Amino acid sequence: MRPDTTPAEHIAEAERLIRTATRYPEDQEPLLLQAAAHLELADERDRASTLYDQLLSASPANPYLIKALQAANLWEYGHEPEARALISGIRAAAPKDPAPWEVIAEALETHDELEASHDCFTEAASLLITEHEPLTTATTALLTGRHRVRRLLGRPHDDWDMVADTRHIGPIPLDELHDPKRIWALGSDDPAELRAEIARLRAELGDRRAALSRPFPVAILHWPARELAELLTSYPTLASEYPSHEAHLRDIESSLRALATSGTTNLGIVTASVPSYEAFAASEKTSPASPSLLAEYATTLAARGKATPWPPTPTSPCWCTSGKPYNECHGAM
């Protein structure tokens, strides 16, 4: 989502996602979660709440994440008691998924409930980080959030803070990034610069919240060799997009690396098929021969939860289905 997206554009995208959910009821959950995120960003929080309730009434796959997002949303528009009740229920249930823990801990932090936020992050870390469970991106994010809250509370570093420091890969050390006095430590007495720094820090927190609300990645379309051959036989005008299957695979890897280098996170790959693409074109009342439809098709597949996260771990099978480890295949590019 672009930072300059207007409320009207967010609402239009939410309505498009709701229509798509009607066409693909089996993928309703990720589509409506994304729609609710857009409605929140448009400040249509009552409509977002209705979508969360709709999802919770349908035996969702991720009920605790939906309850966490609902709690954070409710608190933002004046329904604090209901939000607190949902947060208490999630903590009592102790889900094994890091995402709902992070959402509710950040909601508490946002509303200056720092002690409760710290306790929530700590409960989650104690539950999910063990000697038998290696750290993942999601559990590392819990430690990063806990580090931030501990700095705000003036707590000394503990072992988990040291792990968060070690795992942090940003250009600014975590201690500096989370320093409550950082704004004044910049050495500027210009109110405009201070306001810009406050806005940047808020945006960092907001970006993380938006990422959690967005259950699908920025995705690149992957055509298996047989499907690509059928596509180009049926729609030869698309040959300019795909000069060869080998070039197509190289373009996928290079495009994803370029996105990662630019700071884009939550990247993934969606696998295409000709029948699925033709059905999508028919639903959009557009010719499958139109190159502009390819990106929309990729986005819709990703929104339906069909994406595989990228990059794989070095020793995992490469995304191209060659059967080779990623670090011996496209990861070696």
Side-chain angles (χ1 to χ4, degrees):
M1 292 178 246
R2 304 189 318 274
D4 59 340
T5 304
T6 66
E9 289 171 321
H10 281 301
I11 292 170
E13 179 62 12
E15 290 172 347
R16 185 189 72 80
L17 288 161
I18 292 167
R19 289 194 300 272
T20 304
T22 302
R23 290 205 302 269
Y24 302 102
E26 70 277 16
D27 299 318
Q28 174 178 271
E29 187 169 332
L31 291 163
L32 293 186
L33 275 176
Q34 175 64 1
H38 278 285
L39 290 171
E40 287 190 42
L41 291 167
D43 206 28
E44 293 281 340
R45 294 190 174 275
D46 55 340
R47 291 185 63 191
S49 183
T50 298
L51 287 185
Y52 291 134
D53 286 339
Q54 179 181 335
L55 284 166
L56 288 170
S57 69
S59 301
N62 298 296
Y64 295 114
L65 175 58
I66 298 167
K67 288 179 180 181
L69 294 168
Q70 175 72 301
N73 179 57
L74 286 168
W75 204 334
E76 287 296 324
Y77 78 109
H79 295 270
E80 181 181 338
E82 296 94 323
R84 287 186 181 276
L86 283 168
I87 289 171
S88 295
I90 294 166
R91 293 176 69 175
K96 294 297 182 71
D97 177 8
W101 286 104
E102 186 168 10
V103 172
I104 61 175
E106 287 190 351
L108 290 163
E109 178 189 356
T110 298
H111 293 278
D112 296 323
E113 300 275 349
L114 296 182
E115 289 287 355
S117 176
H118 175 266
D119 291 347
C120 195
F121 275 124
T122 302
E123 286 172 30
S126 300
L127 177 69
L128 301 174
I129 301 172
T130 70
E131 59 180 344
H132 304 297
E133 293 288 339
L135 277 171
T136 64
T137 300
T139 50
T140 299
L142 291 174
L143 294 186
T144 301
R146 182 177 180 275
H147 182 290
R148 180 179 61 247
V149 173
R150 286 175 66 81
R151 291 285 280 149
L152 291 170
L153 290 167
R155 303 280 175 84
H157 269 32
D158 63 7
D159 289 345
W160 273 336
D161 288 328
M162 297 299 292
V163 172
D165 283 332
T166 302
R167 299 277 295 192
H168 179 64
I169 59 173
I172 301 172
L174 211 54
D175 271 347
E176 181 182 348
L177 187 65
H178 293 165
D179 185 353
K181 298 181 181 178
R182 182 178 177 221
I183 295 170
W184 294 275
L186 292 175
S188 172
D189 57 3
D190 183 345
E193 288 184 9
L194 298 181
R195 284 194 294 270
E197 179 65 12
I198 292 169
R200 190 188 70 79
L201 292 170
R202 285 177 174 165
E204 286 177 356
L205 193 60
D207 286 347
R208 182 60 188 160
R209 173 70 170 79
L212 285 167
S213 301
R214 181 185 60 194
F216 62 87
V218 176
I220 301 292
L221 202 59
H222 167 223
W223 292 92
R226 182 177 297 178
E227 294 291 338
L228 184 61
E230 182 180 343
L231 178 78
L232 297 181
T233 299
S234 301
Y235 309 104
T237 57
L238 297 179
S240 60
E241 301 290 322
Y242 305 112
S244 72
H245 189 249
E246 292 74 16
H248 169 52
L249 298 182
R250 287 196 302 272
D251 286 346
I252 291 172
E253 183 71 23
S254 60
S255 297
L256 288 166
R257 290 189 185 193
L259 286 166
T261 300
S262 71
T264 305
T265 58
N266 203 24
L267 299 170
I269 296 172
V270 286
T271 300
S273 72
V274 173
S276 167
Y277 178 60
E278 290 174 335
F280 176 74
S283 71
E284 295 294 313
K285 297 181 175 59
T286 302
S287 168
S290 173
S292 64
L293 191 66
L294 295 166
E296 294 178 35
Y297 175 53
T299 298
T300 299
L301 287 178
R304 293 171 59 198
K306 306 300 184 183
T308 300
W310 179 94
T313 61
T315 57
S316 297
C318 187
W319 54 263
C320 72
T321 70
S322 66
K324 298 178 182 178
Y326 176 62
N327 62 355
E328 297 177 15
C329 193
H330 284 88
M333 282 179 55

